[in-house]
PDB file of all heavy atoms in Angstrom:
ATOM      1  N   ALA I1227      14.662   0.318  57.075  1.00 86.00           N
ATOM      2  CA  ALA I1227      15.795   0.150  56.160  1.00 86.00           C
ATOM      3  C   ALA I1227      15.293  -0.301  54.780  1.00 86.00           C
ATOM      4  O   ALA I1227      14.225  -0.890  54.643  1.00 86.00           O
ATOM      5  CB  ALA I1227      16.771  -0.870  56.724  1.00 86.00           C
ATOM      6  N   LEU I1228      16.081   0.001  53.765  1.00 88.00           N
ATOM      7  CA  LEU I1228      15.774  -0.492  52.438  1.00 88.00           C
ATOM      8  C   LEU I1228      15.866  -2.009  52.415  1.00 88.00           C
ATOM      9  O   LEU I1228      16.796  -2.582  52.970  1.00 88.00           O
ATOM     10  CB  LEU I1228      16.743   0.091  51.411  1.00 88.00           C
ATOM     11  CG  LEU I1228      16.536   1.553  50.991  1.00 88.00           C
ATOM     12  CD1 LEU I1228      17.731   2.007  50.170  1.00 88.00           C
ATOM     13  CD2 LEU I1228      15.263   1.694  50.179  1.00 88.00           C
ATOM     14  N   PRO I1229      14.940  -2.680  51.756  1.00 91.00           N
ATOM     15  CA  PRO I1229      15.079  -4.140  51.609  1.00 91.00           C
ATOM     16  C   PRO I1229      16.147  -4.459  50.566  1.00 91.00           C
ATOM     17  O   PRO I1229      16.468  -3.625  49.702  1.00 91.00           O
ATOM     18  CB  PRO I1229      13.690  -4.571  51.129  1.00 91.00           C
ATOM     19  CG  PRO I1229      13.169  -3.383  50.394  1.00 91.00           C
ATOM     20  CD  PRO I1229      13.711  -2.176  51.125  1.00 91.00           C
ATOM     21  N   ILE I1230      16.704  -5.650  50.659  1.00 89.00           N
ATOM     22  CA  ILE I1230      17.637  -6.105  49.638  1.00 89.00           C
ATOM     23  C   ILE I1230      16.824  -6.576  48.432  1.00 89.00           C
ATOM     24  O   ILE I1230      16.018  -7.500  48.527  1.00 89.00           O
ATOM     25  CB  ILE I1230      18.528  -7.238  50.167  1.00 89.00           C
ATOM     26  CG1 ILE I1230      19.360  -6.744  51.356  1.00 89.00           C
ATOM     27  CG2 ILE I1230      19.449  -7.760  49.069  1.00 89.00           C
ATOM     28  CD1 ILE I1230      20.175  -7.833  52.017  1.00 89.00           C
ATOM     29  N   VAL I1231      17.021  -5.938  47.303  1.00 91.00           N
ATOM     30  CA  VAL I1231      16.273  -6.249  46.075  1.00 91.00           C
ATOM     31  C   VAL I1231      17.216  -6.970  45.124  1.00 91.00           C
ATOM     32  O   VAL I1231      18.247  -6.436  44.731  1.00 91.00           O
ATOM     33  CB  VAL I1231      15.715  -4.963  45.436  1.00 91.00           C
ATOM     34  CG1 VAL I1231      15.148  -5.255  44.053  1.00 91.00           C
ATOM     35  CG2 VAL I1231      14.655  -4.354  46.329  1.00 91.00           C
ATOM     36  N   TYR I1232      16.829  -8.198  44.770  1.00 90.00           N
ATOM     37  CA  TYR I1232      17.628  -8.969  43.816  1.00 90.00           C
ATOM     38  C   TYR I1232      17.306  -8.588  42.378  1.00 90.00           C
ATOM     39  O   TYR I1232      18.191  -8.561  41.536  1.00 90.00           O
ATOM     40  CB  TYR I1232      17.367 -10.468  44.008  1.00 90.00           C
ATOM     41  CG  TYR I1232      18.192 -11.097  45.097  1.00 90.00           C
ATOM     42  CD1 TYR I1232      17.841 -12.351  45.603  1.00 90.00           C
ATOM     43  CD2 TYR I1232      19.304 -10.471  45.634  1.00 90.00           C
ATOM     44  CE1 TYR I1232      18.592 -12.958  46.597  1.00 90.00           C
ATOM     45  CE2 TYR I1232      20.055 -11.056  46.630  1.00 90.00           C
ATOM     46  CZ  TYR I1232      19.697 -12.297  47.126  1.00 90.00           C
ATOM     47  OH  TYR I1232      20.433 -12.891  48.105  1.00 90.00           O
ATOM     48  N   ALA I1233      16.023  -8.339  42.092  1.00 91.00           N
ATOM     49  CA  ALA I1233      15.627  -8.113  40.706  1.00 91.00           C
ATOM     50  C   ALA I1233      14.340  -7.312  40.675  1.00 91.00           C
ATOM     51  O   ALA I1233      13.652  -7.147  41.680  1.00 91.00           O
ATOM     52  CB  ALA I1233      15.434  -9.457  39.979  1.00 91.00           C
ATOM     53  N   ALA I1234      14.025  -6.820  39.485  1.00 93.00           N
ATOM     54  CA  ALA I1234      12.774  -6.107  39.252  1.00 93.00           C
ATOM     55  C   ALA I1234      12.212  -6.545  37.916  1.00 93.00           C
ATOM     56  O   ALA I1234      12.958  -6.763  36.955  1.00 93.00           O
ATOM     57  CB  ALA I1234      13.006  -4.590  39.257  1.00 93.00           C
ATOM     58  N   TRP I1235      10.886  -6.703  37.855  1.00 92.00           N
ATOM     59  CA  TRP I1235      10.191  -7.014  36.622  1.00 92.00           C
ATOM     60  C   TRP I1235       9.321  -5.818  36.237  1.00 92.00           C
ATOM     61  O   TRP I1235       8.587  -5.289  37.065  1.00 92.00           O
ATOM     62  CB  TRP I1235       9.279  -8.238  36.787  1.00 92.00           C
ATOM     63  CG  TRP I1235       9.985  -9.549  36.902  1.00 92.00           C
ATOM     64  CD1 TRP I1235      10.383 -10.169  38.054  1.00 92.00           C
ATOM     65  CD2 TRP I1235      10.347 -10.429  35.832  1.00 92.00           C
ATOM     66  NE1 TRP I1235      10.970 -11.364  37.758  1.00 92.00           N
ATOM     67  CE2 TRP I1235      10.970 -11.560  36.403  1.00 92.00           C
ATOM     68  CE3 TRP I1235      10.197 -10.366  34.450  1.00 92.00           C
ATOM     69  CZ2 TRP I1235      11.445 -12.616  35.642  1.00 92.00           C
ATOM     70  CZ3 TRP I1235      10.681 -11.420  33.692  1.00 92.00           C
ATOM     71  CH2 TRP I1235      11.286 -12.528  34.277  1.00 92.00           C
ATOM     72  N   LEU I1236       9.413  -5.398  35.000  1.00 91.00           N
ATOM     73  CA  LEU I1236       8.531  -4.377  34.458  1.00 91.00           C
ATOM     74  C   LEU I1236       7.578  -5.060  33.496  1.00 91.00           C
ATOM     75  O   LEU I1236       8.018  -5.657  32.497  1.00 91.00           O
ATOM     76  CB  LEU I1236       9.323  -3.291  33.716  1.00 91.00           C
ATOM     77  CG  LEU I1236      10.078  -2.288  34.584  1.00 91.00           C
ATOM     78  CD1 LEU I1236      10.959  -1.410  33.720  1.00 91.00           C
ATOM     79  CD2 LEU I1236       9.119  -1.443  35.401  1.00 91.00           C
ATOM     80  N   THR I1237       6.298  -4.987  33.770  1.00 87.00           N
ATOM     81  CA  THR I1237       5.316  -5.634  32.915  1.00 87.00           C
ATOM     82  C   THR I1237       4.078  -4.779  32.811  1.00 87.00           C
ATOM     83  O   THR I1237       3.445  -4.468  33.795  1.00 87.00           O
ATOM     84  CB  THR I1237       4.936  -7.032  33.461  1.00 87.00           C
ATOM     85  OG1 THR I1237       3.847  -7.537  32.719  1.00 87.00           O
ATOM     86  CG2 THR I1237       4.554  -6.986  34.917  1.00 87.00           C
ATOM     87  N   GLY I1238       3.778  -4.327  31.599  1.00 78.00           N
ATOM     88  CA  GLY I1238       2.621  -3.480  31.389  1.00 78.00           C
ATOM     89  C   GLY I1238       2.669  -2.185  32.169  1.00 78.00           C
ATOM     90  O   GLY I1238       1.639  -1.605  32.481  1.00 78.00           O
TER      91      GLY I1238
END
Side-chain angles (χ1 to χ4, degrees):
L1228 284 170
I1230 298 175
V1231 171
Y1232 276 164
W1235 288 91
L1236 285 173
T1237 172

